[in-house]
Amino acid sequence: MKVLVIGGAGYIGSHVARLLADKGHDISIIDNLSSGTEENLFPEYAFFRGDILDYPWLVSVMKQGYDAAVHLAAAKAAGESMRRPEKYATQNLTGTINILNAACEAGISRLVFSSSAAIYGEPKYLPIDEAHPKDPTNFYGFTKLEIERCLEWYDRLKGLRFVALRYFNAAGYDLEGRVHGLEKNPANLVPVIMEVAVGLRPHLEVFGTDYPTPDGSGVRDYIHVTDLAEAHCAALVRLMKEPRSFAVNLGSEQGLSVLEILDAARKITGRSIPMVMTGRRPGDPAKLVASSAAAKDLLGWEAKHSDVETIIATSWRAYTHHFAHDA
Ligand code: UD1
């Protein structure tokens, strides 16, 4: 299959591209390298550097004969989205509308879209399944929800078949240590812990230790990025075989607390990783855990590498590799 991976130099996109190439697909990447990095691009890929906001350029690339596209080009910091909604409106909403229109113009009718558990908002029940009410608590989640709704209309009106993958907390790096381009200025827990471990930050701030959880810190469903990549491959195969659109959660169905992750990171890295307890971060729910039953049913997918040891060990290898080569 000839697949266009939009945002393929980024954290999740680079893992998706790597796995698709491993499975023998012909990979082209679009990325503006604003958060992605050239380090994540492998020689066998065709690379088009440019911006999804540049519509004529986007159409010209998308017209080069692809069987399907995967769209992962978006801004994703939930906190920042509340301070800079205009950035998220432009990059996520306008950027995606451009991709949908360009796909229609170019005759690409299969799309896998990076959605997020952020579309659900404050959990009404756990585990969260796809029927859970969708009421995002941040603008980032709103952009993902609006795009899903737009996809449904393009499915009906333009015949664009899609699978929307609602990621829970993506973490970890390639199991074979081949991807080591790191995220710039990360805000997510695992990369922040890694930056403390390598000495880039003085300490981890633990956002809240008074939640109604076993140790008081926030509980999330961490899903290894290779598991996510496998789901994208399964979604593409399914779309080619049976062009029917749907949205599924991707999670490990396990909850891990901030303090459990920190503890595992201290053991695996052998670093002290200082922490300070600060107040809750606004908009953070106490606990989020996925039901991934629909992904199992529709994609034959389940998490296989999302234990805390694999998540931390693969992240640590990427960070130590990067800083060994940077030094
Ligand atoms: C959020 C989104 C998620 C999105 C992800 C992408 C919501 C509810 N969730 O996840 O859908 O895919 O961003 O970026 O909008 N923490 C600390 N200290 C830190 C960083 C995090 O204690 O320095 C804690 C948080 O309070 C939370 C956990 O670690 O309990 C995970 O946080 P984070 O990695 O930022 O992800 P979410 O906010 O869960």
Side-chain angles (χ1 to χ4, degrees):
M1 218 187 313
K2 197 171 167 197
V3 184
L4 181 64
V5 184
I6 305 167
Y11 168 55
I12 298 175
S14 59
H15 287 87
V16 170
R18 188 59 264 156
L19 196 72
L20 284 168
D22 289 347
K23 291 181 191 284
H25 301 294
D26 181 351
I27 300 303
S28 297
I29 307 266
I30 286 182
D31 207 296
N32 66 3
L33 300 181
S34 65
S35 54
T37 151
E38 253 163 319
E39 242 185 301
N40 286 337
L41 299 170
F42 288 78
E44 68 265 38
Y45 305 163
F47 176 50
F48 302 94
R49 182 174 184 170
D51 206 298
I52 55 175
L53 296 173
D54 181 351
Y55 187 73
W57 174 83
L58 183 64
V59 174
S60 72
V61 176
M62 290 183 80
K63 276 191 170 161
Q64 296 184 21
Y66 298 102
D67 299 305
V70 184
H71 169 30
L72 317 97
K76 62 154 190 156
E80 183 195 44
S81 76
M82 301 297 277
R83 297 186 298 276
R84 299 182 62 195
E86 59 287 351
K87 171 178 168 183
Y88 286 73
T90 305
Q91 290 190 11
N92 295 9
L93 295 175
T94 310
T96 302
I97 303 292
N98 280 350
I99 288 170
L100 302 190
N101 288 339
C104 294
E105 248 191 80
I108 300 175
S109 60
R110 307 283 184 270
L111 180 80
V112 175
F113 172 64
S114 285
S115 189
S116 170
I119 66 167
Y120 295 115
E122 189 66 36
K124 305 277 184 284
Y125 58 83
L126 292 171
I128 295 176
D129 59 17
E130 289 76 4
H132 186 283
K134 290 154 197 78
D135 187 12
T137 54
N138 52 61
F139 191 76
Y140 160 72
F142 167 80
T143 65
K144 293 289 177 179
L145 181 57
E146 287 305 288
I147 293 164
E148 282 202 17
R149 297 176 66 193
C150 202
L151 282 167
E152 283 164 19
W153 281 103
Y154 272 64
D155 176 306
R156 273 159 67 184
L157 303 175
K158 304 288 289 183
L160 182 68
R161 305 290 178 243
F162 69 89
V163 175
L165 299 173
R166 297 173 181 163
Y167 314 151
F168 279 65
N169 291 64
Y173 274 80
D174 180 50
L175 299 173
E176 293 172 41
R178 295 167 299 174
V179 179
H180 16 71
L182 305 179
E183 289 189 274
K184 300 162 194 159
N185 306 313
N188 293 115
L189 180 65
V190 175
V192 167
I193 289 178
M194 291 296 124
E195 289 201 354
V196 180
V198 296
L200 280 183
R201 298 185 192 224
H203 53 249
L204 168 72
E205 287 182 78
V206 176
F207 298 145
T209 47
D210 58 350
Y211 284 107
T213 58
D215 64 23
S217 65
V219 170
R220 295 288 182 275
D221 183 325
Y222 293 87
I223 177 85
H224 193 282
V225 68
T226 299
D227 282 330
L228 287 185
E230 288 284 1
H232 290 74
C233 297
L236 282 170
V237 168
R238 160 100 196 199
L239 272 177
M240 299 316 279
K241 261 200 246 156
E242 192 189 330
R244 187 170 70 78
S245 301
F246 58 88
V248 290
N249 289 342
L250 296 179
S252 66
E253 305 189 314
Q254 307 291 325
L256 284 170
S257 75
V258 174
L259 296 178
E260 282 174 314
I261 302 235
L262 175 61
D263 187 48
R266 284 174 170 162
K267 286 194 183 111
I268 289 165
T269 65
R271 303 287 168 98
S272 62
I273 314 183
M275 64 101 146
V276 293
M277 295 185 189
T278 60
R280 294 183 182 192
R281 186 172 61 176
D284 269 359
K287 183 171 176 179
L288 289 175
V289 180
S291 162
S292 282
K296 194 181 275 181
D297 186 33
L298 290 163
L299 299 176
W301 174 91
E302 62 186 330
K304 294 200 173 99
H305 309 290
S306 296
D307 54 287
V308 67
E309 288 78 18
T310 305
I311 284 174
I312 298 296
T314 55
S315 300
W316 184 232
R317 179 161 57 183
Y319 275 76
T320 46
H321 177 281
H322 186 93
F323 287 98
H325 286 72
D326 244 26

